[in-house]
Amino acid sequence: RIILFKLPKGWERIVAVDHGLVNPTAALWAAIDYDYNIYIYDEYYSPGIVSDHAREIIRKSEGQEINMWLIDPSTTSKIREKDGMAWSVMEEYEDCGLYFVPANNEKLAGVNRVKEFLKKQPDRRHPVTKELNAPRLYVFKNCINLLTEFPNYKWRKWRGSIQRNSPEQSIDYNDHALDALRYIIMSRFPAPLRRPTGQELILPEHRKHMNSITEQFPKNYVGDEQLGQYYGEGQNLMGGLDNYESDYT
């Protein structure tokens, strides 16, 4: 656990959601610093419907540059119906203005990777106390539900009647915030570059439903009559219009 502090703008930020149909929906906000430490700095934990979850997640994310949005991959299943068509939970979130990427839900690998981030390393300094022998994962003290789930996370005990090579399984009980944490860790995010605004994990041109019409043209706009593309920078946008003849004159 770590005390609250203001996060620098250059750090990468990730939101991960573990959606619950009957169980509560959990969302975590994570920041990654330049030394590859990860901070869970906010959470949302509540039962309800998609529109309620989306409204609160959007409210909590307001004013932040979120670089990656992750969600439980089971939400891609078209288990609902809307306007006579099969519909998924992820598409419901999209209708509410949230566009997620399915997370890696490999449980055993995810748990092991979380344990690696919690392991203290002799050559790593604590970001607050500056002492050596520090982990890479930190949770702000306001994330009560996530902190509560950590001690209760247990593996099923092996019994003599079970085959020895059976896959290990966790006890599925109140681990919704921990599932969201696994999604974040398993995204294998890079540490941000030291630049004023950070380096986005998903570039704007790769974002779904991006409206390129709203982007500003480069200053030395040069049109491509066949492709309708533009390129260039540093010159006047209107500089090449003196010799232009319209087909409609």
Side-chain angles (χ1 to χ4, degrees):
R1 183 158 44 169
I2 194 170
I3 59 174
L4 303 175
F5 62 87
K6 188 174 181 180
L7 300 172
K9 286 186 176 181
W11 291 6
E12 306 292 356
R13 303 196 187 198
I14 301 175
V15 173
V17 174
D18 183 64
H19 179 78
L21 297 174
V22 178
N23 296 313
T25 289
L28 296 180
W29 282 255
I32 301 97
D33 70 10
Y34 302 116
D35 297 319
Y36 204 39
N37 294 312
I38 182 168
Y39 307 82
I40 308 300
Y41 63 90
D42 203 358
E43 69 173 9
Y44 166 76
Y45 197 95
S46 176
I49 59 178
V50 170
S51 58
D52 291 338
H53 302 324
R55 187 183 309 111
E56 189 63 15
I57 291 170
I58 290 173
R59 185 190 69 79
K60 281 178 165 285
S61 304
E62 188 174 354
Q64 302 184 56
E65 267 191 51
I66 306 299
N67 307 112
M68 184 178 287
W69 299 81
L70 301 169
I71 196 169
D72 178 358
S74 68
T75 59
T76 60
S77 301
K78 295 182 180 293
I79 59 175
R80 304 189 179 193
E81 184 178 328
K82 184 175 182 179
D83 299 329
M85 296 184 295
W87 212 253
S88 68
V89 171
M90 182 182 287
E91 288 171 320
E92 286 195 51
Y93 277 104
E94 290 179 355
D95 286 347
C96 296
L98 289 174
Y99 301 96
F100 290 101
V101 175
N104 184 336
N105 195 25
E106 186 64 38
K107 200 156 196 174
L108 182 58
V111 170
N112 288 334
R113 190 159 170 79
V114 170
K115 289 170 69 175
E116 286 292 333
F117 272 74
L118 287 170
K119 182 181 178 181
K120 293 182 178 181
Q121 301 181 19
D123 58 343
R124 182 170 287 272
R125 290 190 180 276
H126 193 285
V128 176
T129 65
K130 305 304 179 184
E131 295 178 355
L132 288 172
N133 198 31
R136 285 188 287 169
L137 175 61
Y138 301 91
V139 181
F140 280 22
K141 64 180 182 180
N142 59 304
C143 300
I144 300 172
N145 292 285
L146 177 59
L147 291 169
T148 302
E149 288 184 5
F150 268 110
N152 298 324
Y153 197 81
K154 299 177 181 178
W155 292 99
R156 296 185 187 277
K157 292 183 179 180
W158 182 83
R159 293 175 181 170
S161 60
I162 301 176
Q163 189 177 357
R164 286 185 179 273
N165 292 329
S166 297
E168 295 179 280
Q169 294 180 343
S170 62
I171 299 175
D172 221 6
Y173 179 74
N174 286 347
D175 58 353
H176 316 299
L178 282 172
D179 284 344
L181 177 62
R182 280 194 298 107
Y183 303 155
I184 293 170
I185 300 296
M186 287 297 286
S187 67
R188 296 186 178 273
F189 47 84
L193 298 180
R194 293 185 181 271
R195 54 179 63 177
T197 58
Q199 181 181 13
E200 292 193 353
L201 301 178
I202 301 177
L203 299 176
E205 58 264 27
H206 298 151
R207 295 185 187 276
K208 189 175 181 181
H209 301 315
M210 175 187 171
N211 186 0
S212 59
I213 297 177
T214 61
E215 290 186 336
Q216 295 182 353
F217 285 111
K219 293 182 179 180
N220 68 329
Y221 167 78
V222 179
D224 188 312
E225 296 179 357
Q226 294 183 349
L227 300 179
Q229 297 178 343
Y230 62 84
Y231 51 89
E233 59 182 7
Q235 297 179 3
N236 192 334
L237 175 64
M238 305 299 291
L241 297 182
D242 293 340
N243 300 323
Y244 177 78
E245 295 183 2
S246 172
D247 294 334
Y248 299 95
T249 56

